[in-house]
């Protein structure tokens, strides 16, 4: 009998707990209908953890995350914690998890589902069928580089410093993830940096090119400066298949790409560590949307980003492609049937809240599983 799958659920703040609840109903459904049992542990992160324990994540929670087969994260932050010192913000919890678990490859798909093609602010003919995967490096670069900090200068001015640093092994391992993904997709990788102004960008470009030549010459590799990439994403987004880039550029470009879809509330993400000898890797899954404090507690948040993050978890952490595909299809079918949460509402559709949307996905799963 195979061991149960251990999941750590970290709902966090704002709409996080509301959308996580809909995932738990899917997990119950899988237990009853698909005979897949998960051992669930739930814990506090972000502002909720600051209120209860004084820090945004405790070492015990980090330890639990390391033991889990996968972590499903909600979202953190909110105005009531904005006044806290820089090192005490709710956001520290996600950065801590990325660093402590070595989650260096952040996979951020931007997909336009057919029923939502008109939700984009771009013309439908520009985004129809869009399917981009941004692979963002997520444990290095300027987010973690030293030196950093704010110092006082002798003449009374102050200086803020952050440092972009990349070593060749950090570049190679994330590029490898991008090339491997491209092999299962359209076979194209675009590597993005600012090699025209940053030495670290030049090293990035050279390292990716060398790896490509050594091991991945079957994949088509192109390079782009980050500013041009931002422009090209808006001009003609379908030219891209897989984009691989640094932590900071990936942060910016993935927000941009997610808005091409017009439905931030729908997009999942995965952040993966390096596989060990047995193939097991740390992994964390979270929707791209934030904690959305303005709509928290109203029952109107779109749960599909969190549900699709769970589908990604099934696919990447447990190789459960069939179950993942079923959840993805159920979400698409529900949208095609005309149900919409407020964020993706369109003329002629029926506006529903979080729970009705979750319920509709469950009913659709029942049909697909029949
Ligand atoms: C993201 C977020 C985080 C980041 C914040 C919350 C620290 O914007 O996951 O994209 O900048 O990485
Ligand atoms: Mg971001």
């Amino acid at each position: 009998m195979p061991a149960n799958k251990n999941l750590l659920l970290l709902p966090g703040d704002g709409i996080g707990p509301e959308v996580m609840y809909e995932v738990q109903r899917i997990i119950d459904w899988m237990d009853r209908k698909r005979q897949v049992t998960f051992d669930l542990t739930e814990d506090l992160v972000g502002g909720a953890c600051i209120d209860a324990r004084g820090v945004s994540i405790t070492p015990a929670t980090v330890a639990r995350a390391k033991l889990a087969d996968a972590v499903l994260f909600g979202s953190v932050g909110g105005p009531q914690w904005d006044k806290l010192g820089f090192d005490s913000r709710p956001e520290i919890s996600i950065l801590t998890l990325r660093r402590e678990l070595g989650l260096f490859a952040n996979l951020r798909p931007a997909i336009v589902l057919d029923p939502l093609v008109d939700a984009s602010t771009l013309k439908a003919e520009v985004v129809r069928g869009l399917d981009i995967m941004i692979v963002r490096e997520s444990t290095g670069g300027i987010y973690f580089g030293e030196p950093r900090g704010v110092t006082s200068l002798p003449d009374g001015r102050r200086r803020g410093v952050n440092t972009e640093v990349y070593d060749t092994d950090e570049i190679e391992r994330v590029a490898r993830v991008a090339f491997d993904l491209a092999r299962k997709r359209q076979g194209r990788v675009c590597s993005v940096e600012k090699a025209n102004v940053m030495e670290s960008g030049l090293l990035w470009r050279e390292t990716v090119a060398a790896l490509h030549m050594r091991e991945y010459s079957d994949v088509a590799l192109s390079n782009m400066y980050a500013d041009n990439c931002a422009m090209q994403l808006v001009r003609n987004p379908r030219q891209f298949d897989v984009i691989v880039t640094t932590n900071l550029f990936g942060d910016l470009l993935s927000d941009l790409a997610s808005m091409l879809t017009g439905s931030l509330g729908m997009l999942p993400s995965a952040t993966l560590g390096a596989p060990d000898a047995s193939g097991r890797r740390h992994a964390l899954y979270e929707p791209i949307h934030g904690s959305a404090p303005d709509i928290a507690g109203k029952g109107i948040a779109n749960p599909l980003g969190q549900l699709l993050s769970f589908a990604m978890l099934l696919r990447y952490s447990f190789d459960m492609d069939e179950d993942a595909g079923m959840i993805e299809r159920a979400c698409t079918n529900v949208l095609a049937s005309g149900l919409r949460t407020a964020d993706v509402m369109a003329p002629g559709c029926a506006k529903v809240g979080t729970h009705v949307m979750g319920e509709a996905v469950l009913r659709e799963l029942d049909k697909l599983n029949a």
Side-chain angles (χ1 to χ4, degrees), residues 14-15 17-19 22 292 294-303 340-343 351-358:
I15 61 171
E18 297 167 42
V19 292
E22 301 307 319
D294 51 322
I295 61 163
K298 297 189 179 157
I300 59 172
N302 188 341
R340 296 283 190 282
T341 42
D343 56 315
K351 185 146 95 181
V352 300
T354 311
H355 200 59
V356 172
M357 187 55 108

Side-chain angles (χ1 to χ4, degrees), residues 38-174:
F38 293 94
D39 283 340
L40 302 180
T41 315
E42 193 173 317
D43 211 337
L44 296 175
V45 280
C49 191
I50 292 174
D51 290 347
R53 301 171 183 161
V55 287
S56 67
I57 188 163
T58 64
T61 306
V62 172
R64 240 169 246 143
K66 284 184 180 163
L67 287 175
D69 292 316
V71 178
L72 189 63
F73 193 91
S75 49
V76 293
Q80 61 270 54
W81 301 290
D82 278 353
K83 290 180 296 294
L84 293 175
F86 188 76
D87 294 328
S88 335
R89 291 162 301 141
E91 288 82 357
I92 296 291
S93 57
I94 185 71
L95 297 177
T96 302
L97 283 166
R98 284 178 194 158
R99 195 188 54 235
E100 293 290 314
L101 274 66
L103 305 171
F104 64 88
N106 185 197
L107 279 46
R108 302 194 156 185
I111 296 173
V112 172
L113 301 175
D114 252 344
L116 290 182
V117 69
D118 291 314
S120 176
T121 48
L122 296 193
K123 295 194 190 87
E125 67 253 35
V126 176
V127 297
R128 180 169 286 116
L130 183 75
D131 181 358
I132 303 177
M133 179 68 88
I134 296 189
V135 180
R136 166 192 177 190
E137 199 290 326
S138 47
T139 50
I142 203 161
Y143 270 60
F144 297 97
E146 301 280 348
R148 65 184 300 151
V150 177
T151 54
S152 297
L153 301 177
D155 63 4
R157 290 179 301 148
R158 299 209 298 156
R159 173 172 290 164
V161 177
N162 291 93
T163 306
E164 174 85 342
V165 199
Y166 274 112
D167 296 346
T168 43
D169 56 316
E170 289 178 284
I171 302 169
E172 270 184 20
R173 65 183 183 177
V174 73

